[in-house]
Structure formats: C-alpha cells, structure tokens
Amino acid sequence: MTPRTLVFATNNDHKLSEIRDILGDSYRVLGLKDIGCTDEIVEDGATLHENAAIKARYVRDRFGYDCMADDTGLLVDALGGEPGVHTARYAGGDGHDSAANMTLLLRNLDHIDDMEKRSARFMTVIAITEGDDIRYFEGKVEGHIAFAPRGSHGFGYDPVFIPDGMQTTFAEMDADEKNSISHRGNAVRKLLAYLAPL
Ligand code: IMP
C-alpha cells in the first residue's frame, strides 16, 4: 500500500523521528524543511491548543497541505503549572537552549527536597487540519522533576523528567521505551486510532 503523506509542522529532527517510529510504515511524514517552509511561525497563543492550531493552520493556508502540529508544555505543580505554555522559552532566548531551561527549572525547585512535591506532567496537544476544520488529540504523562539532569538520550527537559513508576529519566531510556509512555506517544496513538480507519 502507498504510504499516506502527512506534514508535521516541526523542524525538530528528534520529534520527526519519534512520530515516524510511532506512526510506522503506513505514513510518510514530512517536516517543514521537506516542504520548503523555512518561516519562523510565531506561536503567540495563550494555550497549547491555540499554539498547535496556529502552526497547523499556517502550513495549511500557505502551503496547501493538511498538516499536524503539536505543542507541548511541562506543568510543574510546585510552580503553579509553570512553565506551561512558556516551556520552550522558560529561560528566555529563542527556545533552543534546553540546558538553560533545565538550569532555571532546577533552581526554581531548589528549595523542594521532598520528591513527592516535585510532581509534574508533560502535556501534548496535537492539532490536525481537515480542510477548514481542525481536530485535537491530547496526551500526557505524569512524573517528577529529578534533583539533577541524568542521561543523554532524547531532547528538551528529558534529563530531568522521571515518569511515574520508573526510576530513570526520559533521557536514560531508549526511544521505544520513552515513546511507549510519553505525552507525545499517547497523543499520537490517539491520532493514529482516528486516522487508521480513514
Ligand atoms: P514544543 O511545543 O514541542 O516545541 O515543546 C515546547 C518545549 O517543551 C521545548 O522546550 C521542548 O524542548 C520541550 N519538550 C517538548 N517535548 C519534549 C519531550 O518529549 N521531552 C522533553 N522536553 C520536551
């Protein structure tokens, strides 16, 4: 069967390969570079849903492909749900400095010695355009923020996130193990269940 083409509005190679692994051979997933989109898409929504929709609609409107886009936030209970929608640019800058983001997060939790009180969750919202309509899929994973970064796999805040029921951070897991429980994995599996019968 010819694989179905889907554009995923991201320049993040880690995310592209995660999505390709989860969606499997039935889908050919193209990133922004693959369709010649080098624009900086301004994500100025107030929620994860708004930001995901902004990216998906941008590609749909300018490039004509139906498109999926995700937006992820790390919500830390002791910080009132921050960084939340500010997760990418928590420490300022252009959102690519994961080391600075993790350093700030660990500093802001410095006074909390009790692991139970370092509870947090990753939440992903995937938006997918269907012509003028848009559909959303959500996924989350509960866990805790480690006292120091551990591991070298993955990206972003993976070295400081320990999912519930595990001793290791996301960055100490291989990609399959992370995908099987992650926020994005859970959201993509819902998307896949929706797409499969189409
Ligand atoms: P985005 O919405 O996917 O661009 O992600 C927002 C922020 O969350 C960025 O700082 C990412 O590095 C971080 N992030 C997104 N997904 C993950 C993940 O699976 N692990 C760790 N950090 C992530």
Side-chain angles (χ1 to χ4, degrees):
M1 204 176 72
T2 318
R4 181 172 165 187
T5 299
L6 205 58
V7 174
F8 182 24
T10 186
N11 284 314
N12 181 325
D13 290 334
H14 280 286
K15 277 203 212 171
L16 272 172
S17 83
E18 278 187 8
I19 294 273
R20 285 179 180 134
D21 282 350
I22 296 166
L23 285 180
D25 293 340
S26 312
Y27 289 87
R28 188 170 72 110
V29 182
L30 303 178
L32 289 176
K33 275 181 265 179
D34 301 317
I35 60 164
C37 176
T38 52
D39 310 353
E40 186 69 35
I41 305 175
V42 181
E43 297 173 38
D44 54 1
T47 63
L48 300 177
H49 286 77
E50 280 179 25
N51 280 335
I54 286 170
K55 288 183 274 190
R57 284 215 170 94
Y58 185 96
V59 171
R60 163 85 200 164
D61 292 347
R62 289 176 180 68
F63 292 82
Y65 294 97
D66 266 322
C67 177
M68 61 181 271
D70 75 335
D71 203 48
T72 294
L74 177 61
L75 288 75
V76 180
D77 291 325
L79 302 176
E82 284 291 307
V85 80
H86 309 294
T87 299
R89 292 177 173 75
Y90 192 39
D94 63 2
H96 297 293
D97 194 344
S98 299
N101 284 340
M102 282 190 288
T103 300
L104 179 60
L105 179 65
L106 292 177
R107 196 184 323 135
N108 287 343
L109 292 176
D110 207 18
H111 58 292
I112 305 181
D113 298 331
D114 180 355
M115 193 48 132
E116 288 299 305
K117 300 206 168 104
R118 297 171 72 96
S119 55
R121 66 203 52 78
F122 270 117
M123 290 200 58
T124 289
V125 174
I126 294 176
I128 184 163
T129 62
E130 294 180 322
D132 291 337
D133 292 335
I134 198 140
R135 194 172 279 275
Y136 297 98
F137 300 87
E138 287 133 29
K140 67 175 176 173
V141 58
E142 302 282 343
H144 292 85
I145 303 300
F147 293 107
R150 294 196 322 250
S152 56
H153 299 163
F155 67 99
Y157 295 78
D158 278 347
V160 294
F161 188 81
I162 305 170
D164 279 357
M166 314 294 284
Q167 305 296 325
T168 51
T169 68
F170 266 161
E172 293 175 304
M173 298 177 188
D174 64 29
D176 284 349
E177 195 179 0
K178 177 185 168 188
N179 288 343
S180 70
I181 55 172
S182 80
H183 44 305
R184 196 164 24 263
N186 290 333
V188 174
R189 278 182 285 276
K190 289 184 191 169
L191 170 71
L192 187 58
Y194 169 73
L195 290 177
L198 295 183

